[in-house]
Amino acid sequence: DYIIRGIKVKSVYEYFIDKGYDIGSYSNFNKYIKNNDIMPANKTKDHPRFETLPGNQAQVDWKEDLTLVSRHNIKYVINVLNYKLGYSRYCNFEYKRSRTQKDVFEGLIESFIQTGGVPKKILFDNMSTVVDLIGNRRRINSKMKAFANDFGFEITLCKPRRSYTKGKVESSNKFIEWLLAYNNDFEDEEDLIKLIKKVNKKVNEYVCQATGVPPILLFQKEKEYLHLLPSQQIIESYMNHDLITTVHKDSMINYKGRRYSVPPKYIGKNVSLVQNKTELSIYYSMELICIHQLNEKALNYRAEDYSALMKQSIKDDEKLEVIVSKNLDILDNFLK
């Protein structure tokens, strides 16, 4: 038997449909699952229903530490910021490697841009990036408060131990779990991000049980009530944080559409990128590992990085030097 913990019947159904299997309607598939006692039913607690006016509120939550394995047996532990408009139930999923405050800022900005505006209020759980706990009292973090002022929304917080107050966003978190059906069936991180957006699109196009229509339809009305985003200068002031990225197998990282090399020993590791005017500094665990001059070349290999990478397959030093020199000349002119 093949068991995936936490997977839902709907996610298995969507996976089979995505793969082209003719398995009939979801209701029949669900009956088959229940009749054969394949999956236990989930018990839920009763709670009151909340509704909001168009453009009045969005809810934000993390689907955190979701573990997925690629078909190459590489494990990814991911986080998805779930941003959901209260009236239409239209949601936006943003993939993040971590859950820092800058991840929250950037995820919110990406969601504002995707939905075309900012709601009057945003409801948060008591996440540490939003709330400071002082004794038994909660206080909104000063940086988050400044962010809210700059983008023109009011912060509201969930009541402790009453998660149903953000039930709309939690109900869409279960859709993110559809990704579990793709375990061992995706290529890499880029493919995983595409799957997240694919699931996101499906969620917005499916009929919502609470409203009886797809979120994308009600969103056409709700987006008219959203406030305009602030100036580009304010937006960029929050987006220009140090970037964390993973070193690819070619010993390079991506930055603003260009690729820059690092020593091969950092392949597969997360590094931090810091731009200072025309220079790009790359750090690993606070250690500066290399500096590049920013330019318009598509590929930017340092000779020592490329040589170290090639040395893994070419042992003859003289032959290595000739090949490295020739290849670097070709790469320097690539897509010029």
Side-chain angles (χ1 to χ4, degrees):
D1 292 339
Y2 184 59
I3 298 173
I4 303 176
R5 301 295 178 190
I7 199 166
K8 301 293 190 295
V9 176
K10 183 67 172 175
S11 61
V12 176
Y13 176 79
E14 288 298 329
Y15 174 79
F16 285 140
I17 292 297
D18 192 35
K19 292 297 179 182
Y21 292 103
D22 184 9
I23 56 174
S25 68
Y26 172 66
S27 60
N28 287 336
F29 182 77
N30 196 28
K31 287 177 183 176
Y32 174 82
I33 293 294
K34 290 180 179 178
N35 291 340
N36 289 274
D37 198 26
I38 296 175
M39 287 180 163
N42 293 321
K43 293 182 178 180
T44 57
K45 294 181 179 179
D46 296 336
H47 59 77
R49 176 167 168 167
F50 295 88
E51 291 299 336
T52 55
L53 296 173
N56 189 62
Q57 187 197 78
Q59 297 183 6
V60 174
D61 197 11
W62 284 108
K63 185 65 179 178
E64 56 192 54
D65 297 335
L66 196 63
T67 300
L68 294 147
V69 181
S70 74
R71 60 171 58 106
H72 305 293
N73 205 33
I74 297 175
K75 184 170 75 172
Y76 294 86
V77 181
I78 69 168
N79 304 282
V80 181
L81 185 75
N82 183 358
Y83 173 91
K84 188 169 189 177
L85 292 171
Y87 171 76
S88 63
R89 273 70 169 180
Y90 187 90
C91 55
N92 184 58
F93 300 155
E94 289 296 334
Y95 164 78
K96 299 294 176 184
R97 293 194 184 97
S98 56
R99 301 191 305 277
T100 65
Q101 190 172 65
K102 62 186 177 184
D103 289 315
V104 175
F105 288 162
E106 291 176 359
L108 285 172
I109 291 172
E110 288 156 353
S111 296
F112 296 155
I113 293 172
Q114 202 279 329
T115 56
V118 183
K120 293 179 182 177
K121 301 177 182 178
I122 299 182
L123 176 65
F124 292 92
D125 196 355
N126 296 288
M127 55 181 74
S128 60
T129 51
V130 176
V131 178
D132 292 330
L133 293 178
I134 303 175
N136 294 324
R137 300 186 62 185
R138 300 179 300 160
R139 187 175 68 183
I140 297 172
N141 179 278
S142 59
K143 290 183 179 179
M144 177 56 74
K145 193 179 295 185
F147 177 87
N149 290 337
D150 282 339
F151 282 82
F153 67 87
E154 177 186 338
I155 296 174
T156 56
L157 301 176
C158 267
K159 294 181 180 180
R161 296 177 297 279
R162 294 185 184 179
S163 61
Y164 59 77
T165 56
K166 60 179 178 68
K168 292 172 185 175
V169 74
E170 288 203 332
S171 68
S172 61
N173 268 351
K174 67 184 180 182
F175 295 116
I176 300 173
E177 292 175 353
W178 289 5
L179 294 168
L180 292 172
Y182 292 88
N183 248 328
N184 305 112
D185 196 30
F186 64 93
E187 278 292 322
D188 50 23
E189 185 178 45
E190 185 178 348
D191 198 22
L192 187 54
I193 293 171
K194 289 179 181 178
L195 284 173
I196 292 171
K197 290 303 180 182
K198 187 175 184 177
V199 169
N200 194 168
K201 186 173 183 290
K202 282 186 177 183
V203 172
N204 287 326
E205 292 175 347
Y206 280 3
V207 173
C208 172
Q209 290 183 352
T211 63
V213 295
I216 188 68
L217 292 183
L218 287 180
F219 173 64
Q220 302 309 312
K221 176 181 179 179
E222 181 160 31
K223 66 181 181 181
E224 297 176 5
Y225 292 84
L226 299 174
H227 299 303
L228 295 176
L229 275 79
S231 68
Q232 190 63 30
Q233 184 178 3
I234 290 177
I235 293 174
E236 289 180 355
S237 71
Y238 285 97
M239 297 295 283
N240 288 338
H241 296 294
D242 298 349
L243 176 67
I244 298 176
T245 189
T246 302
V247 181
H248 296 280
K249 291 180 180 180
D250 57 1
S251 200
M252 303 189 89
I253 56 90
N254 292 324
Y255 184 69
K256 294 186 175 180
R258 303 290 181 263
R259 295 171 74 84
Y260 299 90
S261 72
V262 300
K265 67 179 181 180
Y266 298 105
I267 289 175
K269 299 184 184 299
N270 288 339
V271 294
S272 299
L273 314 180
V274 180
Q275 180 180 343
N276 182 15
K277 296 183 180 178
T278 62
E279 287 186 345
L280 177 66
S281 298
I282 305 178
Y283 294 81
Y284 175 71
S285 296
M286 305 302 291
E287 176 190 357
L288 178 63
I289 59 175
C290 64
I291 298 175
H292 283 273
Q293 291 294 320
L294 294 173
N295 58 70
E296 296 302 313
K297 291 194 300 183
L299 302 173
N300 296 272
Y301 263 116
R302 297 191 312 166
E304 57 267 40
D305 298 336
Y306 191 78
S307 180
L309 188 62
M310 293 294 290
K311 198 169 186 177
Q312 297 175 10
S313 55
I314 301 174
K315 306 303 180 183
D316 187 319
D317 289 343
E318 290 185 7
K319 188 177 180 180
L320 174 66
E321 186 177 346
V322 172
I323 292 175
V324 167
S325 178
K326 181 180 179 180
N327 286 359
L328 286 176
D329 284 341
I330 296 173
L331 291 172
D332 277 342
N333 292 288
F334 182 68
L335 297 180
K336 184 174 285 187

